[in-house]
Every structure is written in C-alpha cells, then in structure tokens.
C-alpha cells in the first residue's frame, strides 16, 4: 500500500518506434593536407531497450576520381530516456558502429581499382523532435579509414499512428 504511489506506469518502459534517418555532410580525411569529401546516407534504428537502438547504416562518399561506400551496423545510446514511448524534445546521443569501407578508384587509362577493409565509427550528437513523427539533428564521428565526419540528419518515426 505504501509503495503504490511510487510505481511508474508500464507505458514509461515502452520502446520507441523504429526510425528511418537520412544524413548529409562531410568526411574529412587527414592526408598530406586535409581532404574533405561530401557524403549522403541513411540508417534505420530499431529500439531494443527504451534508450538503446540498433540498425544498419549506409553512406556514399564521392571524391575526385574515387568513391567510397560505407556499410555499418550501429548501436545508438540516448542519454535521456523517452517518456511514454516518445522521444524527449531534445535527445543527446552516442553512437558506435562497425562494418565495411569499400573504395573504388578510377584512373585516366579507364582502369579501376576496388578495395575493401573493416570500418568503424564512434561519436555523438543531438536530435530535436519536430512534431510527433519528424526529428532533425547534428552529429560528429571519428572513424576508420581515419576520418572525421560532420553531418546533419533528418528522421521519421515509423509507428504509423
């Protein structure tokens, strides 16, 4: 009887709906000088716990005479828990992912060379809720092949309500 007022409703533990996100920004590679290349990509996040989500991400990077394709599986941790299955107005987050980094080089004599290697990214950012289903945000990550990634993102909650 004394504990009854301290019990939280079960809705507070609901997992948020899946989210599809699009991202665009720049990857900065340290070379003889800093090389900056634009990228765009997308990700889908499925919540396994209210503050932890997992999902795939794909990014395409276009450079001079070459391109990169990055495919990772990511784990995202939201620093603030959702309320009744809905994200907070502002949610800071951390993300880590691992996968593959594929490079395709084009040479003047019409030859191409492709290579692949393991990849990882780690970083964080913040998302802002815009209405019931849309979010926007920014993030920064470091990754391998060694780069710094800065981007904006926009997402949609896939709950159908």
């Amino acid at each position: 009887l004394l504990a009854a007022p301290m019990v939280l409703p079960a809705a507070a533990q609901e997992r948020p709906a899946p989210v599809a996100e699009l991202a665009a920004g720049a990857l900065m590679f340290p070379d003889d000088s800093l090389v900056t290349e634009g990228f765009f990509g997308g990700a889908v996040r499925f919540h396994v716990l209210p503050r932890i989500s997992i999902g795939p991400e794909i990014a395409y990077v276009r450079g001079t005479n070459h391109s990169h394709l990055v495919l990772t599986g990511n784990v995202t941790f939201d620093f603030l828990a959702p309320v009744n299955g809905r994200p907070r107005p502002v949610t800071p987050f951390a993300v880590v992912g691992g996968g593959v980094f594929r490079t395709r080089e084009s040479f003047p004599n019409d030859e191409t060379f492709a290579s692949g290697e393991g990849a990882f990214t780690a970083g964080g950012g913040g998302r802002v809720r815009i209405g019931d289903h849309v979010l926007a945000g920014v993030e920064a990550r470091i990754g391998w092949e060694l780069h710094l990634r800065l981007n904006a993102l926009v997402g949609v909650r896939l709950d159908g309500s």
Side-chain angles (χ1 to χ4, degrees):
L1 195 63
L2 294 174
M6 294 184 276
V7 175
L8 295 174
Q13 299 302 315
E14 287 181 14
R15 288 182 295 182
V19 176
E21 295 176 341
L22 295 176
L27 271 65
M28 292 168 266
F29 297 90
D31 205 346
D32 293 335
S33 63
L34 187 65
V35 177
T36 302
E37 298 175 346
F39 90 94
F40 65 91
V44 178
R45 295 186 293 112
F46 301 92
H47 285 82
V48 294
L49 295 170
R51 293 169 54 187
I52 298 175
S53 57
I54 61 172
E57 178 178 39
I58 188 166
Y60 178 76
V61 184
R62 182 74 182 143
T64 305
N65 299 321
H66 69 277
S67 63
H68 307 289
L69 185 65
V70 185
L71 179 61
T72 59
N74 295 341
V75 177
T76 303
F77 175 78
D78 293 341
F79 288 105
L80 300 175
V83 177
N84 295 327
R86 299 278 188 203
R88 303 271 182 134
V90 175
T91 304
F93 65 91
V95 62
V96 62
V100 294
F101 190 102
R102 182 153 174 82
T103 300
R104 181 179 169 90
E105 302 268 355
S106 299
F107 296 98
N109 58 358
D110 290 331
E111 289 187 33
T112 59
F113 173 77
S115 66
E117 62 183 314
F120 79 86
T121 62
R127 294 185 297 270
V128 176
R129 191 180 73 212
I130 303 171
D132 286 336
H133 298 289
V134 178
L135 61 91
V138 295
E139 68 180 315
R141 298 190 205 177
I142 190 165
W144 186 263
E145 177 171 331
L146 186 59
H147 67 272
L148 175 64
R149 167 179 160 169
L150 301 173
N151 64 270
L153 60 93
V154 62
V156 177
R157 289 171 34 109
L158 305 174
D159 62 357
S161 62

